[in-house]
Amino acid sequence: MNEHNTDVRSKPKPNVGGGAKTVSSGQAKAKPQQDAKEKPQAKRKLRRRWVRLLLGLLRALLVPVLCVIAVVVGLWLGYAYIGGREGSDIWEWDTWKHLFDLVFAN
């Protein structure tokens, strides 16, 4: 094998061009500019938090709402097309009472 240094980590480059230091992002920003940017950023963060909470709530409710829609559509299709009855009868209490009596009759 070679006897060269096999360290693949990047080494910091020496500062060659005068006395100015290189500044990484966010280290030394001017204070007046930072204060001016804080207020819109705070409003934006509050708005983002509100939107994030709303989207989380919608995601949490998506599956139960889709399940309820699937049950209603399935009831309507089964009762109207397979059973040959009026589709709006699925909303009547007598229909459910009759179904309960059929299923649990002795």
Side-chain angles (χ1 to χ4, degrees), residues 37-77:
K37 289 183 180 180
E38 266 184 40
K39 288 183 181 179
Q41 209 172 32
K43 281 185 180 180
R44 185 194 291 173
K45 281 187 179 183
L46 287 176
R47 188 178 315 150
R48 284 184 183 170
R49 184 179 298 155
W50 179 78
V51 170
R52 198 174 332 133
L53 287 173
L54 181 65
L55 289 175
L57 180 66
L58 288 175
R59 282 187 200 127
L61 292 177
L62 181 67
V63 172
V65 167
L66 289 177
C67 287
V68 168
I69 290 171
V71 165
V72 169
V73 169
L75 286 171
W76 184 78
L77 286 174

